[in-house]
Amino acid sequence: FLPTVALVGAPNVGKSSLVALLSSGAPEVCDYPFTTRSIKMGHFYVNGQRHQVTDTPGLLRRPEDERNAMERLTLAALAHLPTAAVFVTDLTGECGTSVPDQWAIRQHLRA
């Protein structure tokens, strides 16, 4: 069993940057949305135990039937991989998704 943390959130909020900073993962990091098009993984150790962190494609605030393939991949990863999910938020809103829309995405995921 490999404990897995999934980083989720809107596009361009810093999920890839966190994976690169906190783990052995080397995702592409760019200053534009939808850089991450697939699940990227890295590893880190806590008290000598290996853990896995996943970088996921960003989610937009929209109905399920309007989600693209990348967003559906994120939702599938959440359903099957994580021991925990961390919702990454850009409180400045500079990511291109307003803070209220980011919270709405989070609420949708919790439902």
Side-chain angles (χ1 to χ4, degrees):
F1 173 73
L2 185 60
T4 302
V5 176
L7 300 183
V8 296
N12 210 32
V13 295
K15 299 179 299 291
S16 298
S17 296
L18 284 171
V19 168
L21 180 70
L22 300 173
S23 76
S24 64
E28 182 179 2
V29 177
C30 295
D31 191 22
Y32 55 84
F34 291 112
T35 304
T36 304
R37 292 181 177 86
S38 62
I39 303 298
K40 305 291 184 187
M41 297 186 180
H43 297 95
F44 63 97
Y45 289 84
V46 175
N47 297 327
Q49 182 178 359
R50 186 176 178 195
H51 292 67
Q52 182 170 260
V53 61
T54 61
D55 181 17
T56 60
L59 296 171
L60 296 175
R61 183 181 183 185
R62 57 179 161 195
E64 293 296 322
D65 61 343
E66 293 180 20
R67 293 204 182 276
N68 64 35
M70 292 183 295
E71 291 175 287
R72 289 191 303 270
L73 181 62
T74 295
L75 297 175
L78 286 175
H80 297 286
L81 287 177
T83 302
V86 175
F87 191 83
V88 181
T89 307
D90 174 8
L91 296 178
T92 69
E94 292 181 11
C95 66
T97 303
S98 70
V99 173
D101 280 353
Q102 291 178 67
W103 284 122
I105 294 166
R106 181 180 178 269
Q107 286 304 111
H108 176 77
L109 291 175
R110 295 185 74 189

